[in-house]
Amino acid sequence: MTTVKKVELDGGNIVLYQGDSLDVLKTLEKNSIEIAVTSPPYNLCKRYTNYDNTKTSKSMVDKYDKWYADEMPEWEYQGFQQSVVHEMIRVCRSSIFYNHKVRYAWHNRNIFRSESKIHHPLDWLSKFPIWCEIIWDRRGIGNPSRRYHIQEERVYQIQKPVKWDNPDGLTNIWQIPPSRNKGHVCTFPEKLVENCMLPTTEAGDFLLDPFMGAGTTGVVAAKHGRKFIGIERVPEYFDLAVDNIAEALEKLGDKNETMETKVL
């Protein structure tokens, strides 16, 4: 039994759960959500060595010291991701927008490696119906290395959209700088969520994010008159998401909030 904290905002149009993604997803009804927009932890296995040798190593140690727990055995991580995607397909009647990236496993911190020394999202997504592969061009450069600077991530649109309206003529290459959110090490840009949401939903539709983080998907949903269900396991990030979404609603003129604790 898992204790789950539940927060409702905007008269129940926004429902936020602090708990395990799979536990909460299994309680949601089939086809009760229009789309999902999410970015799971990347399982970066964040050890960094030789930090006395270079400025880069020292900066990376400082960065990873502030990171969330993100070091599952790779086989377990991929199985968990497949289970979450399977549940999202069950509860969503339309597309799932799943942000991830290619991870290179050449460094000493990479505890789990394959023969190719690369972990590609398609390693675990290839069993699912992918409608579109979107390139997120982050408009910057990566950390110095003897590799071409890596500035892109992927957004996989899983399942064909039920609704579709693309008046801006969006292509599958999105040039969007990354965002910075106080209190969280990596957040969605709002524009990325809008690109997923606006062509595939209408006002009043429910969005889902089972890895809510700082709550950006919920903030964007609120700003555009959509409903939202968010799930976040880490208590401090859950509290941050509640604050961010409540602040967005307050600016829109709604302060209605209730809180309760349930056992699922």
Side-chain angles (χ1 to χ4, degrees), residues 119-155:
H119 301 305
H120 197 288
L122 289 177
D123 290 346
W124 61 93
L125 294 179
S126 61
K127 302 293 185 182
F128 300 108
I130 296 174
W131 180 250
C132 188
E133 183 180 39
I134 299 156
I135 306 300
W136 173 18
D137 178 358
R138 293 165 57 90
R139 307 290 290 162
I141 60 174
N143 295 309
S145 69
R146 283 177 280 182
R147 181 180 287 129
Y148 293 107
H149 289 299
I150 298 168
Q151 65 177 32
E152 54 78 30
E153 294 188 9
R154 314 295 172 90
V155 179

Side-chain angles (χ1 to χ4, degrees), residues 24 37 42 54 59 74 80 83 91 101 104 115 120-121 125-126 129 135-136 153 172 174 179 222 261-262:
V24 177
V37 182
Y42 289 169
T54 67
S59 68
E74 185 63 24
F80 173 65
S83 296
V91 302
K101 70 176 185 177
Y104 294 91
E115 290 183 355
H120 197 288
L125 294 179
S126 61
I135 306 300
W136 173 18
E153 294 188 9
N172 72 327
W174 298 350
S179 63
T261 300
K262 288 188 175 182

Side-chain angles (χ1 to χ4, degrees), residues 148-198:
Y148 293 107
H149 289 299
I150 298 168
Q151 65 177 32
E152 54 78 30
E153 294 188 9
R154 314 295 172 90
V155 179
Y156 293 95
Q157 184 182 6
I158 301 168
Q159 298 197 130
K160 182 179 179 179
V162 174
K163 300 174 181 178
W164 183 249
D165 184 21
N166 184 18
D168 296 330
L170 289 170
T171 71
N172 72 327
I173 300 177
W174 298 350
Q175 295 181 327
I176 306 172
S179 63
R180 295 290 181 267
N181 186 300
K182 183 178 179 181
H184 198 284
V185 293
C186 49
T187 57
F188 265 153
E190 291 191 11
K191 176 61 176 171
L192 188 145
V193 180
E194 288 176 341
N195 283 5
C196 300
M197 178 188 72
L198 294 178

Side-chain angles (χ1 to χ4, degrees), residues 2-264:
T2 303
T3 300
V4 175
K5 182 162 79 170
K6 178 181 177 183
V7 173
E8 294 186 0
L9 303 170
D10 191 22
N13 288 329
I14 294 178
V15 184
L16 311 176
Y17 296 93
Q18 192 260 299
D20 179 78
S21 297
L22 272 180
D23 286 348
V24 177
L25 282 169
K26 290 175 180 178
T27 69
L28 303 181
E29 293 184 7
K30 182 179 180 180
N31 294 331
S32 59
I33 307 293
E34 188 68 23
I35 68 167
V37 182
T38 196
S39 180
Y42 289 169
N43 204 42
L44 297 177
C45 297
K46 60 186 184 303
R47 298 186 305 175
Y48 210 85
T49 58
N50 300 325
Y51 60 86
D52 291 327
N53 296 340
T54 67
K55 290 182 179 179
T56 300
S57 292
K58 291 179 181 178
S59 68
M60 294 302 287
V61 166
D62 181 62
K63 175 182 178 179
Y64 287 138
D65 282 346
K66 299 174 184 177
W67 212 265
Y68 46 81
D70 195 26
E71 44 197 12
M72 296 172 66
E74 185 63 24
W75 63 267
E76 182 179 343
Y77 173 78
Q78 294 191 17
F80 173 65
Q81 290 302 308
Q82 286 180 327
S83 296
V84 171
V85 172
H86 178 78
E87 281 299 311
M88 287 194 288
I89 288 175
R90 183 184 66 83
V91 302
C92 292
R93 65 186 295 267
S94 186
S95 293
I96 295 150
F97 293 90
Y98 180 91
N99 168 226
H100 216 290
K101 70 176 185 177
V102 175
R103 293 167 293 145
Y104 294 91
W106 286 75
H107 199 278
N108 288 338
R109 75 173 182 272
N110 301 119
I111 308 168
F112 308 102
R113 308 186 193 186
S114 63
E115 290 183 355
S116 66
K117 297 188 178 180
I118 189 173
H119 301 305
H120 197 288
L122 289 177
D123 290 346
W124 61 93
L125 294 179
S126 61
K127 302 293 185 182
F128 300 108
I130 296 174
W131 180 250
C132 188
E133 183 180 39
I134 299 156
I135 306 300
W136 173 18
D137 178 358
R138 293 165 57 90
R139 307 290 290 162
I141 60 174
N143 295 309
S145 69
R146 283 177 280 182
R147 181 180 287 129
Y148 293 107
H149 289 299
I150 298 168
Q151 65 177 32
E152 54 78 30
E153 294 188 9
R154 314 295 172 90
V155 179
Y156 293 95
Q157 184 182 6
I158 301 168
Q159 298 197 130
K160 182 179 179 179
V162 174
K163 300 174 181 178
W164 183 249
D165 184 21
N166 184 18
D168 296 330
L170 289 170
T171 71
N172 72 327
I173 300 177
W174 298 350
Q175 295 181 327
I176 306 172
S179 63
R180 295 290 181 267
N181 186 300
K182 183 178 179 181
H184 198 284
V185 293
C186 49
T187 57
F188 265 153
E190 291 191 11
K191 176 61 176 171
L192 188 145
V193 180
E194 288 176 341
N195 283 5
C196 300
M197 178 188 72
L198 294 178
T200 58
T201 66
E202 300 171 346
D205 286 340
F206 261 109
L207 273 69
L208 168 70
D209 188 347
F211 301 101
M212 180 170 56
T216 304
T217 304
V219 168
V220 176
K223 287 181 177 180
H224 291 276
R226 274 63 168 175
K227 302 174 183 179
F228 178 66
I229 292 178
I231 310 167
E232 175 54 47
R233 177 179 57 84
V234 180
E236 54 265 38
Y237 293 157
F238 175 80
D239 292 340
L240 176 64
V242 171
D243 290 343
N244 287 338
I245 297 171
E247 181 181 354
L249 287 169
E250 186 172 357
K251 290 178 180 178
L252 294 168
D254 194 311
K255 300 180 181 179
N256 189 5
E257 176 178 346
T258 61
M259 296 184 66
E260 62 179 314
T261 300
K262 288 188 175 182
V263 177
L264 301 184

